Amino acid sequence: MSDLPDISSMKLSELKSELKSYGIDSSTFAEKSEFTSALQNARNTMPRPSTTYREVEQPKPEREEKKSSSSSRKPSSSSQRTSSSSSSSSRRPAPTPAPTAAAPAPPTTNPINIKKLTAMRSPVTAFQQIKEHPSQNIIGERNNSFLPGSPFSFSLHGSVQESDSAIIRIPDGVCLKINCASVQRKAMDEYLKQKGSIGVSLRLSSEENPEMLPIWTFARDRSSGYTMSGLGLRVCGPRTVRLLAFMEMGYRSGQSVDVHVFGSVSLNKDAFD
């Protein structure tokens, strides 16, 4: 891969072009960091493409207009006179040309197979910027991509600002399933020592409903464990959702807790039936 350009120095159009050569759909990407992360993941995990997609021109059928030399030649005048005198009994039928085998039909391209191949190379991306408050300065980011067939795991940085939520982009033909969420016991115990701290909630918003709604809450007095399983959240693309680890009170000192989410990425079988 030494002959490939450095990803950080590539233009957006160049990133899109190389992603397309890997068969990756980048239409849902908004930040340049999402393009660079997806391309780096493709270079690391996928074989380098040697050709680009193009339509296969159907071969033209061969003409079956071959005729035998004996039938294409015209008899001379002398042979006509000779044959007229002794033709009735000695004339032989002209040889029949052998049938030519028909050319095989060109293979047809199934649009469903092309769509499925594209989906197999299109990752789910999870991106979150970590900001300092109240200055809003960006002090870090978390960026991961997950191809179909891989487990999904992402750590959400806790915040009280909905604008700090992580953006999860799911491409066409791909589904994301989130089964479990957890917090680290030591980090949560330290957080709960703060006056007024209650806990942390995992919140979700979608394109259909932009409101951040809680799907699981770890509360000081009500939660018996640090892990929640059986969430059963399944989202199929093309779609963008947001996840937020919302700190319930006690965030004044700046201390926060990460919420870890786990699941899997798979193809949307219903899209290829």
Side-chain angles (χ1 to χ4, degrees):
M1 295 248 181
S2 59
D3 57 334
L4 296 176
D6 181 53
I7 293 179
S8 61
S9 63
M10 294 173 67
K11 297 179 180 178
L12 190 59
S13 59
E14 295 173 333
L15 293 170
K16 289 181 179 180
S17 178
E18 187 168 342
L19 284 170
K20 184 177 180 181
S21 70
Y22 283 98
I24 296 177
D25 179 18
S26 61
S27 60
T28 60
F29 296 167
E31 303 289 339
K32 183 176 181 180
S33 57
E34 296 180 79
F35 287 90
T36 57
S37 175
L39 180 55
Q40 187 62 58
N41 181 75
R43 287 185 176 181
N44 294 338
T45 61
M46 299 170 61
R48 180 178 176 185
S50 57
T51 59
T52 58
Y53 290 105
R54 62 179 185 273
E55 284 188 279
V56 179
E57 183 181 359
Q58 296 185 354
K60 298 180 179 178
E62 297 181 357
R63 296 183 177 179
E64 301 179 5
E65 298 180 353
K66 297 182 179 179
K67 295 183 179 180
S68 60
S69 58
S70 60
S71 62
S72 62
R73 296 176 183 175
K74 295 182 178 180
S76 60
S77 58
S78 59
S79 62
Q80 287 178 349
R81 289 192 298 269
T82 305
S83 59
S84 62
S85 60
S86 60
S87 59
S88 59
S89 60
S90 61
R91 182 178 298 171
R92 296 181 180 181
T96 303
T100 306
T108 58
T109 303
N110 190 340
I112 295 180
N113 291 338
I114 295 178
K115 183 178 179 181
K116 186 175 182 180
L117 180 62
T118 302
M120 291 175 63
R121 296 182 175 182
S122 301
V124 170
T125 60
F127 176 76
Q128 183 184 28
Q129 290 182 333
I130 302 175
K131 301 176 183 178
E132 185 180 44
H133 295 285
S135 65
Q136 296 292 317
N137 293 329
I138 299 175
I139 58 177
E141 68 176 36
R142 296 174 180 178
N143 194 356
N144 296 97
S145 59
F146 309 88
L147 286 170
S150 65
F152 177 86
S153 60
F154 193 75
S155 294
L156 298 167
H157 181 73
S159 175
V160 294
Q161 303 290 331
E162 292 188 358
S163 59
D164 293 340
S165 60
I167 302 172
I168 315 297
R169 299 188 186 276
I170 306 164
D172 190 17
V174 179
C175 292
L176 169 64
K177 187 173 183 179
I178 297 178
N179 300 316
C180 177
S182 67
V183 293
Q184 290 186 349
R185 178 174 182 176
K186 183 177 180 180
M188 178 56 70
D189 291 345
E190 288 295 323
Y191 171 74
L192 293 176
K193 290 178 181 179
Q194 299 179 99
K195 185 178 180 180
S197 299
I198 298 175
V200 62
S201 62
L202 174 62
R203 300 192 176 191
L204 168 75
S205 73
S206 65
E207 295 168 298
E208 293 77 9
N209 184 5
E211 184 179 359
M212 278 287 179
L213 299 176
I215 58 177
W216 173 65
T217 300
F218 178 89
R220 177 198 296 269
D221 301 324
R222 291 181 296 171
S223 298
S224 58
Y226 295 86
T227 301
M228 177 62 183
S229 59
L231 292 176
L233 176 63
R234 184 173 182 264
V235 184
C236 295
R239 186 164 275 102
T240 299
V241 298
R242 292 176 179 267
L243 291 176
L244 174 66
F246 185 79
M247 308 309 301
E248 302 286 351
M249 304 294 292
Y251 190 70
R252 300 178 184 86
S253 67
Q255 184 178 357
S256 66
V257 177
D258 286 352
V259 174
H260 314 291
V261 290
F262 303 92
S264 60
V265 178
S266 62
L267 292 177
N268 183 7
K269 296 181 180 179
D270 296 336
F272 311 117
D273 291 339

